[in-house]
Amino acid sequence: PVYFILHGIRASAYDNWIRDLTDTLQSGQEQIPPEKRLPKVVRLDYGFFSAVQFAIRGTRRANIHEFLDSYLAAVLTHQPDGFSFIGHSNGTYMMANVMEEVHAVRFR
């Protein structure tokens, strides 16, 4: 399985909930290098995003390409039928927009 985790506005991929969730998903695998742990966790990060930036459609959509790039990179090494998404706020917006525009993108 592959879990994509994406934060919301006014946050980052280094917030406690993302770190804690990643640790929980990969518990008991501390001796294994992060890139080989199962399940694979893709922590996407577009950095801090203000409410003003979110209100501007073009700015809000700017990071969708990075989301899609990360998804396609995971497709090269994993079965997309095992992809799950965990997101908050703008992260969920980005996931929904990618799925709407690229019908091959799917999550469990």
Side-chain angles (χ1 to χ4, degrees), residues 7-21 43:
H7 60 85
I9 65 171
R10 292 184 273 177
S12 78
Y14 304 103
D15 280 1
N16 291 341
W17 75 271
I18 293 176
R19 185 196 64 233
D20 293 346
L21 180 56
R43 296 189 315 183

Side-chain angles (χ1 to χ4, degrees), residues 27-80:
S27 64
Q29 300 184 53
E30 291 78 16
Q31 279 45 352
I32 302 171
E35 66 276 2
K36 294 190 178 195
R37 293 179 187 167
L38 295 175
K40 178 177 178 58
V41 176
V42 179
R43 296 189 315 183
L44 305 166
D45 186 16
Y46 52 81
F48 183 87
F49 204 73
S50 73
V52 172
Q53 288 172 301
F54 182 76
I56 302 168
R57 186 174 193 269
T59 305
R60 188 173 59 227
R61 294 181 49 84
N63 297 305
I64 290 176
H65 295 285
E66 286 184 41
F67 182 103
L68 188 54
D69 288 346
S70 296
Y71 183 93
L72 294 174
V75 166
L76 295 175
T77 57
H78 296 79
Q79 283 289 70

